[in-house]
């Protein structure tokens, strides 16, 4: 069995992990499918330390493999884009039953799988 290392760079926030990761992913996929018109830019990301992945609701996302690099330019998103992303993330979080929606931001998440 080999290990795969990468790093994810994404705009969003972490959500509570309540249960098995695959069950949470299935629940998120089902809810986001219902909100596709309202939240077209929202997806989810599960990444972290091998068998302790964390779950995030995200909009813009990039992955960088170990030994690679990528130039990211978050400053190219406009204020209007951030407002749209924030509204979509809040709507998706509410649909998932998250009571306190965190303030979204740029995340850097190392991943080992």
């Amino acid at each position: 069995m080999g290990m795969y290392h990468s790093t994810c760079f994404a705009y969003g926030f972490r959500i509570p992990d309540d249960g098995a990761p695959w069950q949470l992913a299935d629940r998120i996929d089902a809810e986001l499918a219902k909100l596709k018109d309202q939240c077209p830019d929202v997806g989810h990301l599960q990444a972290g330390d091998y068998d302790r992945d964390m779950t995030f609701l995200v909009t813009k996302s990039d992955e960088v493999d170990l030994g690679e690099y990528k130039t990211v330019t978050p400053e190219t998103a406009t204020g209007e884009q951030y407002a749209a992303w924030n509204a979509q993330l809040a709507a998706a979080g509410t649909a998932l039953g998250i009571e306190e929606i965190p303030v979204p931001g740029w995340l850097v998440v190392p991943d080992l799988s």
Side-chain angles (χ1 to χ4, degrees), residues 34-50:
K34 297 175 195 173
L35 300 171
K36 196 62 180 165
D37 291 341
Q38 184 182 359
C39 304
D41 299 323
V42 178
H44 67 92
L45 165 68
Q46 289 182 311
D49 184 19
Y50 192 62

Side-chain angles (χ1 to χ4, degrees), residues 55-74:
T55 303
F56 304 87
L57 280 182
V58 299
T59 56
K60 174 73 173 137
S61 178
D62 288 305
E63 184 175 350
V64 183
D65 292 332
L66 186 65
E68 300 289 324
Y69 77 93
K70 185 177 278 192
T71 301
V72 292
T73 53

Side-chain angles (χ1 to χ4, degrees), residues 9-29:
F9 181 77
Y11 186 77
F13 56 82
R14 184 174 178 195
I15 64 172
D17 291 298
D18 55 358
W22 64 270
Q23 289 174 324
L24 181 57
D26 287 349
R27 186 167 68 89
I28 293 170
D29 287 341

